[in-house]
Amino acid sequence: MQEPRKSDLLQGTLDMLILKIVQFGPIHGYGIAQRIQQISKEALQVQQGSLYPALHRLENKGLLASDWRASDSGREAKFYTLTPQGRHQLEAETAHWARMSEAVGLILRTVE
């Protein structure tokens, strides 16, 4: 049996995961990728080629705001924060995810 690739796990969920991580406070793109990997215990790995277009898309939708600040290393980095609209979107996506997860779980637990 083939094990799922890490990138396959994020399709359709990356925006929600980014919003969730940013909810905890201002954070730069690299930090977001690190937090997702760390919290998922290495199960999820976000590639830069997926992360930065998603951040740009979320910012264009008004779900994230950004500004340039010095990072812990002293280098300038773009830090993202959740907007009120982003907080509302996160709540809606989290509720949708819970409903979908429950529905899939019901199907998987079905015994003939």
Side-chain angles (χ1 to χ4, degrees), residues 44-78:
L44 303 177
Q45 196 168 41
V46 182
Q47 303 300 319
Q48 288 186 4
S50 299
L51 177 65
Y52 289 100
L55 288 169
H56 188 68
R57 182 176 56 251
L58 292 168
E59 194 173 11
N60 282 344
K61 288 180 178 179
L63 303 177
L64 295 178
S66 68
D67 64 323
W68 289 90
R69 304 178 191 181
S71 66
D72 291 340
S73 67
R75 295 174 53 187
E76 287 285 312
K78 195 172 187 180

Side-chain angles (χ1 to χ4, degrees), residues 27-38:
I27 187 168
H28 51 73
Y30 179 74
I32 293 168
Q34 292 297 305
R35 292 288 293 163
I36 289 173
Q37 188 172 345
Q38 180 184 47

